[in-house]
Amino acid sequence: MKRSLLLFVCLPVVALLNAQRETTLTLQLKDTQTTISRHIYGHFSEHLGRCIYDGFWVDPAMNIPKKDRIRLDVVAALKRIRIPNLRWPGGCFADEYHWRDGIGERSKRPKMINTHWGGVTEDNSFGTHEFLELCALLGTEPYIAGNVGSGTVEEMSKWVEYLNADGDTPLTRLRKGNGRDQPWKVRFWGVGNESWGCGGNMTPEYYSGEFRRYATFARNYPGASLKRIAGGANSADYNWTEVLMKSIPHNMMWGLSLHHYTVPTGRWNQKGSATRFDEKEYFNTMKNCLFMDELVTKHAAIMDRYDPGKRVALVVDEWGIWTDVEPGTNPGFLYQQNSLRDALIAATTLNIFNNHADRVRMANLAQTVNVLQALILTKGADMLLTPTYHVFDMYQQHMDARLVPLKITAPDYISGTQKIPAVNASASLDAKGRLCITLVNIDPQNNMTIHTPLPGTGYRNINGKLLHSGAFTDVNSFEHKTKVTPVAFKGAQLKAGELTVQLPPLSVVSLLLD
């Protein structure tokens, strides 16, 4: 049969007269037993800054297409990349959120102070019904984080019942009175958030007991078997994972979370700018990004000792780059621009998750709109797509495809006495037998020639797209929204059973072979 190849590439324009360096990629096409869950491509929307209010949920007087107060241009953009799940209401906010304050007639809902993020007063106009309407518009699964830090077992239990129970109970009558007859049947539930920190400053031993208690009363209802997710480790806290895996019955938890952010400087008190950085800081940022592979490997190894059948998923439900806020913005709103560097971080991290798909079965980029490594930035009625958005668009082919294990031999990217791998990759086969390969070259000076033997596969034709710009600091701004945007690419060849790709500096490549 005729075969074709669809190729997407994102890179900044760097002089193509740079040195050519050789990389070999070997694919194990006969070993495709692991599925890359689409839920790895999930997202996160906290009541933080302008993510919910003035992001998804806008002033009723704003003259843009919307349903109720949900802005539909944002919904349409996210539908295009098929986001599989959306985590809400936090984050740290989840452990001070009381769900009953966000239901019923909006004018009667009590106001609250968001003590974690900017000290602003929220009117609770965006609550449970509004969030689940947003998920319905997006065609995505809701992932709700319950309040363990300042809440009660009863409070979470009743929230699950309100959302998932049918029949005649006081809570189902309350839900119906608020306009929803049928249960939503929400499956994904986080039992607390960052319980080692803002969620209660607990020890792992104490939290393990709390999880068992809360999970016991977070009931399954017909058609709504819960996937309970335990609040896992902060970055390299391997003891936290050890204690939870040892203390919590594995049939009580579907997943165990992990949070890790890429901080350019490695210092939380002065993280570095989102747009003004030199190559030394760029190198350090990419080195910190690649630490995710070590983290996932080590946490997964601990989980393997207690759960060799890999029943419990590793859920990296907060990840991304965290920089200093943009000058002149509220420091509690965590608004940062999004550069080509961030696209390289997103692509590299998604490659890491894909290659660990036997254990990593869910992840959530922080955050969707206007906060941290956002996919979308808004300014009044205006909006733009960030370079990170385009990476998620390019990587869609991996969703629910079968992982193709690979081995890559590539040069190092060297800065002073330090070095990191210059190229990373992942690959998958979809239900139609099409092969997707995603490649990242983080080296800012050198081209890479990628050689991939594909004997006997019969692939012939190559089509492609390219996302490029002049520097790793380039961004999409409201004055120039398409500075970093895809264009046609012709830099790959199939000849004599070998795929050859000329991978420019600072580039992300996605290949689809059919």
Side-chain angles (χ1 to χ4, degrees):
M1 61 180 282
K2 182 179 179 180
R3 297 184 182 267
S4 62
L5 172 62
L6 180 62
L7 170 69
F8 301 91
V9 181
C10 79
L11 61 137
V13 174
V14 179
L16 296 182
L17 299 176
N18 295 327
Q20 200 75 28
R21 308 179 79 191
E22 303 295 312
T23 297
T24 301
L25 179 68
T26 304
L27 304 178
Q28 299 176 33
L29 290 166
K30 295 183 179 180
D31 183 13
T32 58
Q33 304 303 310
T34 299
T35 297
I36 298 173
S37 171
R38 68 185 184 278
H39 290 293
I40 285 174
Y41 293 84
H43 295 279
F44 176 31
S45 291
E46 185 169 6
H47 286 243
L48 196 174
R50 295 172 48 244
C51 185
I52 299 296
Y53 297 99
D54 201 33
F56 283 115
W57 189 249
V58 297
D59 190 295
M62 184 176 288
N63 187 23
I64 58 172
K66 53 188 179 294
K67 182 173 183 182
D68 194 356
R69 291 170 57 184
I70 298 171
R71 61 181 297 166
L72 295 180
D73 54 353
V74 168
V75 168
L78 296 174
K79 285 185 72 174
R80 285 197 296 272
I81 60 171
R82 299 188 297 143
I83 70 169
N85 65 75
L86 188 62
R87 181 173 180 245
W88 174 86
C92 293
F93 181 81
D95 281 298
E96 67 175 357
Y97 181 70
H98 301 283
W99 68 271
R100 287 179 183 267
D101 294 343
I103 61 172
E105 186 179 331
R106 289 176 193 155
S107 64
K108 296 181 180 179
R109 296 180 189 179
K111 292 180 171 60
M112 66 174 292
I113 297 174
N114 189 334
T115 62
H116 284 291
W117 305 119
V120 296
T121 299
E122 299 205 14
D123 65 4
N124 276 313
S125 60
F126 189 93
T128 295
H129 288 252
E130 292 77 17
F131 170 66
L132 292 169
E133 175 64 16
L134 171 62
C135 289
L137 291 171
L138 290 168
T140 195
E141 281 209 60
Y143 169 16
I144 290 180
N147 183 344
V148 170
S150 69
T152 66
V153 171
E154 181 185 18
E155 182 178 14
M156 186 183 294
S157 176
K158 296 299 187 185
W159 201 5
V160 174
E161 182 181 344
Y162 184 86
L163 293 176
N164 290 353
D166 207 347
D168 185 15
T169 74
L171 282 167
T172 59
R173 289 197 296 271
L174 177 62
R175 183 189 70 225
K176 292 174 182 179
N178 288 330
R180 175 74 182 194
D181 288 337
Q182 298 300 315
W184 285 283
K185 299 182 179 180
V186 176
R187 300 189 305 158
F188 291 110
W189 285 83
V191 182
N193 168 79
E194 295 189 358
S195 299
W196 37 263
C198 64
N201 285 304
M202 303 176 192
T203 64
E205 291 81 8
Y206 182 83
Y207 173 74
S208 295
E210 289 293 275
F211 176 90
R212 293 164 67 122
R213 195 163 66 99
Y214 275 76
T216 297
F217 292 95
R219 307 288 193 187
N220 292 326
Y221 290 94
S225 181
L226 300 191
K227 295 181 180 293
R228 303 173 187 85
I229 297 169
N234 176 21
S235 196
D237 185 353
Y238 302 113
N239 179 63
W240 188 280
T241 297
E242 184 93 34
V243 171
L244 267 58
M245 289 300 296
K246 180 169 55 178
S247 304
I248 297 174
H250 298 163
N251 62 357
M252 293 186 79
M253 62 176 172
W254 177 83
L256 177 64
S257 74
L258 170 66
H259 289 182
H260 175 69
Y261 288 93
T262 296
V263 178
T265 64
R267 302 188 304 274
W268 282 96
N269 62 339
Q270 191 175 7
K271 294 179 281 290
S273 169
T275 58
R276 298 181 301 279
F277 52 89
D278 59 16
E279 186 179 343
K280 182 178 179 181
E281 187 165 310
Y282 165 76
F283 177 92
N284 196 57
T285 305
M286 298 312 299
K287 177 171 66 70
N288 293 342
C289 165
L290 287 165
F291 183 56
M292 180 66 83
D293 188 63
E294 179 180 328
L295 281 175
V296 170
T297 299
K298 289 185 175 180
H299 283 290
I302 294 168
M303 296 174 76
D304 287 348
R305 291 205 299 271
Y306 296 94
D307 175 33
K310 301 183 188 296
R311 177 174 180 170
V312 180
L314 183 59
V315 178
V316 190
D317 56 14
E318 290 190 30
W319 68 273
I321 184 171
W322 193 327
T323 69
D324 295 332
V325 302
E326 289 301 293
T329 64
N330 187 325
F333 282 11
L334 304 187
Y335 178 83
Q336 63 190 50
Q337 248 293 3
N338 193 292
S339 70
L340 183 67
R341 176 183 67 176
D342 301 347
L344 296 168
I345 287 169
T348 297
T349 304
L350 291 172
N351 279 342
I352 291 168
F353 293 160
N354 289 345
N355 288 322
H356 288 277
D358 60 336
R359 184 63 82 174
V360 178
R361 296 198 287 277
M362 191 176 197
N364 300 81
L365 177 70
Q367 293 187 14
T368 319
V369 186
N370 291 330
V371 173
L372 297 175
Q373 191 172 351
L375 299 177
I376 295 170
L377 301 179
T378 68
K379 184 179 181 182
D382 206 356
M383 64 163 279
L384 64 80
L385 306 177
T386 69
T388 294
Y389 174 94
H390 294 301
V391 170
F392 275 83
D393 191 13
M394 290 156 46
Y395 274 53
Q396 286 189 63
Q397 194 64 36
H398 285 308
M399 292 184 184
D400 290 332
R402 289 172 290 138
L403 176 69
V404 176
L406 56 80
K407 180 179 179 182
I408 189 164
T409 304
D412 289 322
Y413 169 32
I414 300 172
S415 177
T417 60
Q418 300 185 84
K419 62 182 180 180
I420 53 179
V423 178
N424 62 81
S426 66
S428 65
L429 285 171
D430 71 7
K432 297 179 180 180
R434 296 179 296 183
L435 174 64
C436 179
I437 308 171
T438 48
L439 299 156
V440 182
N441 179 12
I442 64 174
D443 191 313
Q445 281 89 35
N446 295 300
N447 299 297
M448 298 287 169
T449 300
I450 311 296
H451 301 283
T452 304
L454 294 171
T457 57
Y459 301 123
R460 296 176 182 174
N461 301 315
I462 303 176
N463 299 296
K465 290 185 179 180
L466 169 69
L467 187 70
H468 69 90
S469 195
F472 45 51
T473 53
D474 280 348
V475 303
N476 290 336
S477 68
F478 286 97
E479 294 72 34
H480 191 176
K481 296 181 185 178
T482 59
K483 187 176 184 66
V484 187
T485 197
V487 296
F489 176 74
K490 304 294 182 182
Q493 284 188 328
L494 277 166
K495 187 175 181 181
E498 181 174 273
L499 171 67
T500 303
V501 181
Q502 305 299 330
L503 190 61
L506 298 171
S507 62
V508 180
V509 180
S510 176
L511 309 165
L512 182 60
L513 291 77
D514 184 357

